[in-house]
Amino acid sequence: MGAAPSSAPKEPCWRRIRKELHQFWVDPPPFCRPGRSPVTDLLHWEVIIDGPEDSPYAGGTFPVDVQFPCDNPFKPTKITFKTKVFHPNIDSEGQMVLDIFKENWSPAMTINTLLLSIVSVLYDPMLDYPINSDIARLYQRNIKLYEEKARAWTRKYSSEPVVSYYPEKGDEHWQEYRDAFAAHYAEVAMRRRVAERRRAAASSTGHTAAAPRKRGASLVWRRAVAFLQGRSIAAPPTAKAVAN
């Protein structure tokens, strides 16, 4: 996808982005999936966002362009919608304008957390940060009309089905794909064993394990978590299915 970058990133950047690609393959955020073509440039991906349920974007297919900077993760990742979207936080160039992409960017941000935030804001616009004040006012004054227009734009610009590319046996990325799933399931199994040992130790001493300490989170992240509460997340393919 796309030409090779003119300024090649440093090795740690390659390793991190490749790891994020593997995580996206095996455990993508809800309503997100790979683009229609294989990733041939680690700095340039396509991701598909399926319109969230119970929103005026439901039923829509939104291809987004993901561009990592050469000095990732110290500068923000650029994510751009390829189709027109009627939304208070998305500008005419297709960029969702939020503080996490600017002054509140953190090197801890991954593509999965960014996509999770974007899906959350699609579902529940952040009127504290509107880039389009006219659409924001319409949302506040007449949400029914806002939703009608958003649905009309979705049907007009984002109704074309897109089939995601997943590596298959014999493809260039097949072994990398299998290795990503193997590592994912090994990590899941290890965490399960650690949790079981802790529960066993707690029960033998008569004490319950201490609850993990809560950490502060940005407004976008809190809203993303609230949006996902009560929603089921499709499990990734089983290790057996990937191995076959």
Side-chain angles (χ1 to χ4, degrees):
M1 285 177 53
S6 56
S7 179
K10 296 180 180 179
E11 181 62 26
C13 172
W14 280 122
R15 289 199 300 268
R16 171 170 169 143
I17 296 174
R18 189 175 296 280
K19 182 178 179 181
E20 291 193 31
L21 176 62
H22 293 172
Q23 290 172 337
F24 180 71
W25 275 345
V26 302
D27 192 18
F31 307 109
C32 300
R33 52 191 173 90
R36 70 193 82 201
S37 303
V39 175
T40 58
D41 177 358
L42 275 180
L43 295 181
H44 189 198
W45 308 1
E46 182 185 67
V47 168
I48 304 299
I49 296 178
D50 294 311
E53 299 168 3
D54 303 323
S55 80
Y57 310 100
T61 303
F62 301 90
V64 299
D65 186 85
V66 179
Q67 187 75 50
F68 294 92
C70 290
D71 49 358
N72 174 271
F74 302 106
K75 288 188 179 179
T77 302
K78 183 178 179 181
I79 300 180
T80 308
F81 283 81
K82 294 184 175 183
T83 59
K84 297 179 69 173
V85 185
F86 190 84
H87 192 282
N89 300 112
I90 299 177
D91 65 18
S92 60
E93 301 298 319
Q95 293 187 46
M96 184 171 278
V97 182
L98 299 174
D99 61 345
I100 59 173
F101 293 107
K102 294 184 177 180
E103 65 272 12
N104 282 341
W105 169 258
S106 166
M109 290 284 186
T110 66
I111 187 62
N112 276 6
T113 56
L114 292 174
L115 290 172
L116 180 61
S117 298
I118 287 174
V119 170
S120 171
V121 176
L122 270 181
Y123 180 81
D124 184 15
M126 296 190 69
L127 300 183
D128 296 335
Y129 304 97
I131 188 62
N132 192 313
S133 56
D134 292 336
I135 297 179
R137 278 194 295 270
L138 179 62
Y139 183 93
Q140 292 174 310
R141 296 175 182 176
N142 192 338
I143 192 168
K144 183 178 180 181
L145 181 56
Y146 162 83
E147 290 182 343
E148 288 176 359
K149 289 193 173 186
R151 276 192 290 267
W153 276 42
T154 298
R155 286 193 299 269
K156 183 174 182 180
Y157 300 111
S158 305
S159 60
E160 179 184 351
V162 176
V163 177
S164 291
Y165 166 81
Y166 292 94
E168 298 179 352
K169 187 177 292 187
D171 289 354
E172 178 185 355
H173 298 280
W174 173 244
Q175 188 60 49
E176 184 179 359
Y177 186 64
R178 289 186 61 185
D179 291 346
F181 271 92
H184 172 72
Y185 284 109
E187 182 178 354
V188 169
M190 182 187 67
R191 289 180 179 177
R192 187 179 295 120
R193 288 194 298 270
V194 170
E196 289 172 353
R197 285 198 295 268
R198 286 178 177 172
R199 283 195 297 268
S203 62
S204 65
T205 58
H207 297 291
T208 57
R213 217 168 89 182
K214 294 183 179 179
R215 297 180 180 181
S218 69
L219 176 61
V220 173
W221 178 247
R222 292 200 302 273
R223 293 175 70 159
V225 172
F227 164 66
L228 291 172
Q229 287 177 347
R231 294 186 178 274
S232 60
I233 300 176
T238 63
K240 183 178 179 181
V242 174
N244 291 335

